């Protein structure tokens, strides 16, 4: 008879179904490729602790938006908290409904990171991909990997975030990761 269940499951909707079957609180710690609200809460806490607020900050979420439950949860939460949310990715890694998510959509790191307060990098979700979404990891890094040059487009005091695990040299330069 637990008071709370914390559940991480590989099937989208599993946590919702479980919450209807048990007589206790159920916390979603990630379900399939659907949501990851606990990560979004940790990200919001990190932003607030480092910047003192979330409202009116420009937050660029970059990388594999289409397959990222972290992106979906962060977009929802950060919009609710009053941030200006941008997503930055090649068109092959954007969800088909990107224009209806309440975000600004960019296919260029230069434009997407311009004056950003927060740069959140996402890993390529290879385990959720079927087909070719990028030409090669090397080419992906050239255009969408975070390096010092691209970081210069953001504000000088911009916070770099990454929910992990991290693929150094694919989505983020090792020196920035450190």
């Amino acid at each position: 008879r637990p008071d709370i269940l914390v559940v991480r499951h590989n099937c989208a909707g599993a946590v919702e179904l479980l919450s209807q079957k048990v007589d206790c609180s159920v916390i979603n710690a990630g379900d399939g490729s659907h949501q990851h609200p606990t990560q979004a809460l940790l990200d919001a806490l990190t932003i607030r602790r480092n910047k003192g607020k979330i409202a009116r900050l420009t937050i660029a979420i970059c990388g594999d938006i289409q397959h990222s439950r972290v992106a979906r949860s962060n977009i929802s939460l950060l919009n609710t908290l009053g941030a200006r949310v941008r997503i930055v990715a090649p068109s092959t890694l954007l969800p088909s409904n990107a224009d209806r998510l309440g975000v600004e959509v960019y296919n260029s790191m230069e434009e997407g990171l311009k004056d950003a307060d927060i740069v959140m990098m996402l890993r390529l979700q290879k385990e959720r991909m079927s087909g070719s979404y990028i030409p090669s990891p090397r080419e992906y890094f050239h255009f969408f990997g975070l390096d010092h040059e691209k970081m210069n487009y953001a504000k000088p005091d911009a916070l770099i975030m990454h929910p992990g695990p991290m693929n150094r040299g694919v989505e983020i330069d090792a020196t920035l990761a450190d």
Side-chain angles (χ1 to χ4, degrees):
R1 304 198 124 265
D3 296 314
I4 299 171
L5 292 173
V6 179
V7 180
R8 184 178 182 114
H9 200 279
N10 64 342
C11 293
V15 178
E16 174 66 25
L17 179 63
L18 180 61
S19 73
Q20 297 169 10
K21 306 290 182 188
V22 297
D23 190 27
C24 67
S25 297
V26 180
I27 296 175
N28 185 346
D31 64 331
S33 59
H34 178 237
Q35 290 286 332
H36 199 333
T38 50
Q39 180 68 52
L41 289 168
L42 287 171
D43 291 341
L45 178 63
T46 299
I47 293 167
R48 188 157 177 240
R49 283 184 173 167
N50 281 272
K51 294 294 184 178
K53 64 178 184 173
I54 294 174
R56 295 180 300 283
L57 291 179
T58 299
I59 301 172
I61 303 174
C62 310
D64 187 357
I65 309 296
Q66 179 174 333
H67 300 102
S68 175
R69 58 189 179 189
V70 169
R72 274 185 286 289
S73 293
N74 266 305
I75 288 167
S76 177
L77 180 60
L78 295 171
N79 274 329
T80 299
L81 296 175
R84 177 181 176 192
V85 182
R86 300 173 178 171
I87 56 176
V88 186
S91 59
T92 56
L93 294 177
L94 289 171
S96 58
N97 67 339
D99 59 330
R100 297 188 303 269
L101 296 175
V103 298
E104 299 169 27
V105 181
Y106 294 92
N107 297 115
S108 157
M109 290 290 276
E110 180 177 355
E111 294 172 16
L113 297 186
K114 184 172 174 42
D115 297 323
D117 297 290
I118 308 291
V119 178
M120 184 181 298
M121 299 304 297
L122 302 172
R123 73 178 177 89
L124 292 172
Q125 304 275 318
K126 294 177 186 174
E127 71 278 9
R128 296 191 178 110
M129 294 180 184
S130 58
S132 292
Y133 288 87
I134 61 168
S136 70
R138 183 176 170 183
E139 187 169 337
Y140 177 81
F141 182 80
H142 177 73
F143 290 104
F144 292 96
L146 187 64
D147 56 22
H148 291 279
E149 180 182 336
K150 292 181 195 88
M151 194 59 200
N152 285 330
Y153 301 127
K155 288 185 177 174
D157 65 340
L159 178 65
I160 300 171
M161 298 179 66
H162 195 302
M166 188 180 303
N167 297 310
R168 293 165 187 249
V170 176
E171 74 261 354
I172 189 166
D173 180 81
T175 59
L176 285 175
D178 293 340

